Amino acid sequence: MRFRPNWDAYLVACLATCPDPARAVITTYPPPYTLPTEPKKTGSPVHVKRRPGGAEVGRDVRPTVLCPSAFGSDGMLRQTGKVLRAKSDSLVPCLLWAAGFNFSKASPLLEIAPYDPLPFLFFGEEISMAARLWSHGFDLFAPPECVLYHLWTRDHRPVFNAPTAAPAATNSASASASALAAAAAEQETKARVKAHSQRRVRALLGIDERAFTPPPEEGPPEEGPPEGQKGPQDCPANPGPSLGRHGLGAVRSLRAFEESLGVCFNPKAPQEEMPDSKGGTTAARFLPPCVVRADAQWGGLPADRFNETADPGKAVFLALAAAMQKQTPPGLGPGI
C-alpha cells in the first residue's frame, strides 16, 4: 500500500460527518500503483510520479466505489471498484465491503460484528462481511477521494491459495516420495478447509438451504452476541444458521440487503413485501440465482457519475442507473 499524506486525519474527519460514526465504515478498492519492473501500459491517460523505492504512484485522486459485478461458478458474488468522474464533496454511500481497505472505529466493530477468518477463502469473504455489517445496522461509504494505492499485481509475492509447491528433487527416492505425499496431504487439507468456509458463507447468505453444522474439529459452539445485544434469532427476517457473533444481526434483514444491492442469493426463498420510498410496500424484485440486476452495476448511484460512462458508446447504460442514495453533508475537514 502507498498512502497519501494525512490520510488518517482525513478519514477520521470523514467519519465524523456520518449520522452514526460508531456504525460507519469507509471502504473501497484502492487504485493501483506499480513497481518499476512492471511493463507500462502505452497510451495511459494517468500520469505517474516516482516514489522512494522506485514505485510509481498515480496522480489520479478520484475515488473508486464498490459495485456488484457477477456471480462466479462457486455461487459467490464478485465485486469491482469503479472510478467516479470527479472527486466527491462528501462520502459516497455503498453497500459492499473491501477486505484490503476498511476504516472505522474499532470497538463497535469488534463487539458487534467481529471479522470471521474463513480460512483459505478468497471469494465470499467480502460479501459475507458486507451482509453482516448491513444486518447489524452499519452504513458503508467510499471515501470522497482516493487516499491510498494498492499493488494489485501478485507476480512479486506468494499468495495463500497457490498450490503447494512440489518438493525439490533429492537423491533418495523414499525421501522424494515422502515429500510428495506431504505436499499432496497439505493441498487436500487446504481444499477441505476452504470448502468448509464456503459452506459457512453459503449458509449465512441463504444460498444453501441445508442447515450448517460445524464439523467436530471446529471446536465448541461460538459465543453469542454481547449481553444486551440482539442476535439473529431475535430477527424473524434473518432465521439463518446460528453462527454466533459471526452471524447476521437483527437490525436489518438479509432480504432487504439483496433488494438494495440488486442481487438474489436464494430464488427459492418466499416472496415478501418490501417498504417503498412513499411509506407503503411493494413486492420485492428478486431474480434468479447468479444474476445481478442491470441497474446494480452502478452500486445505486447515477451511471453518469462514473468515469466509464464518459464514452458516448456506453450512454445506453445511463437509463439503467438506480436512484442515488442521500449522501452525508459536506464539510470533511482538512483535505489531503
Side-chain angles (χ1 to χ4, degrees):
M1 294 286 191
R2 294 290 186 270
F3 293 81
R4 295 178 63 192
N6 303 321
W7 65 273
D8 48 355
Y10 177 74
L11 292 177
V12 168
C14 285
L15 277 182
T17 68
C18 299
D20 185 359
R23 294 205 184 196
V25 181
I26 301 174
T27 182
T28 193
Y29 286 160
Y33 77 89
T34 61
L35 296 175
T37 55
E38 292 182 65
K40 300 182 180 67
K41 293 183 179 179
T42 57
S44 172
V46 179
H47 300 288
V48 297
K49 59 182 178 181
R50 288 286 177 179
R51 289 280 187 178
E56 295 185 344
V57 181
R59 295 181 182 274
D60 194 343
V61 296
R62 293 174 299 175
T64 54
V65 179
L66 295 174
C67 302
S69 176
F71 281 90
S73 59
D74 54 3
M76 301 298 178
L77 180 68
R78 306 297 195 258
Q79 59 193 44
T80 185
K82 295 189 176 183
V83 181
L84 295 185
R85 288 192 184 186
K87 294 189 295 184
S88 176
D89 293 330
S90 58
L91 289 168
V92 184
C94 65
L95 293 169
L96 297 171
W97 180 85
F101 167 59
N102 49 87
F103 187 91
S104 65
K105 291 181 177 291
S107 295
L109 202 65
L110 294 174
E111 294 173 4
I112 299 172
Y115 178 75
D116 189 348
L118 297 171
F120 293 110
L121 187 65
F122 189 75
F123 294 115
E125 168 199 25
E126 293 175 322
I127 186 60
S128 168
M129 191 65 176
R132 292 176 56 222
L133 289 171
W134 161 276
S135 68
H136 281 289
F138 283 80
D139 293 317
L140 276 56
F141 303 91
E145 59 183 277
C146 170
V147 295
L148 75 162
Y149 302 86
H150 178 57
L151 185 61
W152 287 100
T153 180
R154 301 168 186 167
D155 295 340
H156 66 292
R157 58 183 172 88
V159 293
F160 78 95
N161 55 355
T164 303
T170 66
N171 295 327
S172 169
S174 60
S176 296
S178 177
L180 285 171
E186 181 181 352
Q187 196 64 25
E188 182 180 348
T189 298
K190 287 182 179 180
R192 177 175 55 81
V193 173
K194 175 184 176 181
H196 172 252
S197 295
Q198 285 179 322
R199 290 195 302 271
R200 187 182 179 93
V201 173
R202 292 173 65 87
L204 177 83
L205 299 178
I207 299 173
D208 193 339
E209 294 181 330
R210 293 173 297 178
F212 175 81
T213 304
E217 63 268 22
E218 188 173 341
E222 299 183 52
E223 296 180 4
E227 185 176 354
Q229 161 119 10
K230 292 183 178 181
Q233 68 276 8
D234 301 303
C235 184
N238 292 332
S242 176
L243 297 176
R245 297 178 67 192
H246 293 142
L248 297 173
V251 179
R252 299 169 180 153
S253 74
L254 179 63
R255 301 298 298 281
F257 178 67
E258 290 178 283
E259 173 65 10
S260 298
L261 191 57
V263 304
C264 179
F265 297 120
N266 182 5
K268 297 181 180 179
Q271 296 288 322
E272 65 182 41
E273 296 287 306
M274 303 290 293
D276 61 24
S277 59
K278 299 180 180 179
T281 59
T282 183
R285 298 172 294 167
F286 289 113
L287 304 168
C290 302
V291 173
V292 175
R293 206 168 60 208
D295 59 333
Q297 65 178 308
W298 306 115
L301 298 173
D304 60 5
R305 288 194 65 182
F306 289 89
N307 189 52
E308 291 182 33
T309 58
D311 181 355
K314 296 183 180 180
V316 66
F317 291 117
L318 298 180
L320 301 175
M324 180 178 176
Q325 301 179 28
K326 184 177 180 181
Q327 294 186 347
T328 53
L332 299 177
I336 52 179

